[in-house]
Amino acid sequence: MKRATWIFVVALVAGCGTVQTSRVMTGSSQPAYGGNVSVLMDGVALPRNAVEVALVSSRGTGTMAKLEDVIAGLQAEAGSLGCDCVARVKFDQGATIATATGVCLKTH
Amino acid sequence: MRVVTLTNIVDVLSVAVGGMRVRRRVESLMAASALLSVSSCMTVSASVVPTAAGGVPEAVEKVRVSALGVPDGARELGLVEAHSAVAPLERIVDEVKQRAAAMGANLICIDKMATRYEWINSMCGNQPCRYEAGTLSVLGHAYRFDKESR
């Protein structure tokens, strides 16, 4: 029982995975966007009239080092800057880390 | 008052989960974390390839970053690259801006951001350990754009 409690406490404190996001402003910040942020992978044509807002990156570790969590982090970061689209998204998968980068755009 | 040291934490974790093998693993992870924490303050590497004669160094605050393109009339000064295994995107782009500013550029167009992964073999205490590091690289072109050059 004692061992199980310790394992639980250690797992709780250490966490099983994290997603950290980062940004570099290249335009002016907008009010946060609450809708669905679209994701355009690298090589896909950019939407017309897109206004560049920032460069964004998302890095997942442990159990969150996977596509869905890392892209969700990228979308959340973009939405907080008022972007409705992340373009030129590049996803790089490692064994214990995954990273995505993109350009945060306002298209409407 | 009880002082909690790194050794105490390792001991508690080892006892909780059980065994010497676990202790070694915990030590390895903590050493790798400490290494990354210490190195996070300093390691952004950068390089520059001038493609034209530069000018007077520009103030870093005046360097604008773009990822979608450059305005007509911007004059290319060179290529700039910066990378780090630990620093966040902001710090890496900041290094790119500093290098571009030193060339006399006031505009950077980011062409590529990519992460490369590798396993690092290291010594954690007297035990060998291994951890994965992801190096984020940012590559861009540096430009000079003045109203007169339009």
Side-chain angles (χ1 to χ4, degrees), chain B residues 12-143:
Chain B
V12 169
L13 290 175
S14 313
V15 171
V17 187
M20 224 21 221
R21 199 170 154 197
V22 173
R23 184 192 165 94
R24 281 191 200 129
R25 187 152 180 82
V26 171
E27 279 179 340
S28 302
L29 285 170
M30 293 184 96
S33 304
L35 189 68
L36 287 174
S37 301
V38 170
S39 57
S40 66
C41 304
M42 50 193 172
T43 44
V44 178
S45 303
S47 50
V48 171
V49 179
T51 55
V56 180
E58 183 59 89
V60 179
E61 314 81 67
K62 290 187 179 173
V63 179
R64 198 163 61 83
V65 179
S66 171
L68 297 189
V70 291
D72 289 339
R75 188 168 61 94
E76 185 187 316
L77 297 183
L79 281 167
V80 188
E81 189 273 345
H83 61 270
S84 174
V86 285
L89 182 65
E90 297 99 303
R91 280 215 54 223
I92 299 171
V93 172
D94 210 45
E95 186 68 30
V96 170
K97 284 171 75 174
Q98 286 181 29
R99 297 299 178 115
M103 295 168 77
N106 60 0
L107 175 65
I108 298 161
C109 184
I110 302 295
D111 299 313
K112 190 180 174 186
M113 295 184 285
T115 307
R116 182 174 51 87
Y117 299 99
E118 61 188 328
W119 286 95
I120 307 291
N121 292 308
S122 184
M123 292 300 286
C124 305
N126 51 8
Q127 295 292 324
C129 60
R130 203 162 175 253
Y131 62 92
E132 188 179 31
T135 302
L136 177 60
S137 167
V138 175
L139 175 70
H141 279 81
Y143 294 89

Side-chain angles (χ1 to χ4, degrees), chain A residues 22-23 52 88 92 95-96 99, chain B residues 12 16 65 67 90 115 117 132:
Chain A
S22 172
R23 69 175 77 162
E52 185 180 339
R88 290 192 180 168
D92 298 300
T96 61
T99 310
Chain B
V12 169
V65 179
E90 297 99 303
T115 307
Y117 299 99
E132 188 179 31

Side-chain angles (χ1 to χ4, degrees), chain A residues 7-44:
Chain A
I7 291 172
F8 175 74
V9 170
V10 169
L12 200 68
V13 171
C16 299
T18 58
V19 172
Q20 290 177 308
T21 58
S22 172
R23 69 175 77 162
V24 176
M25 299 304 296
T26 56
S28 54
S29 179
Q30 311 281 326
Y33 176 71
N36 184 46
V37 177
S38 59
V39 175
L40 302 177
M41 299 306 284
D42 195 23
V44 175

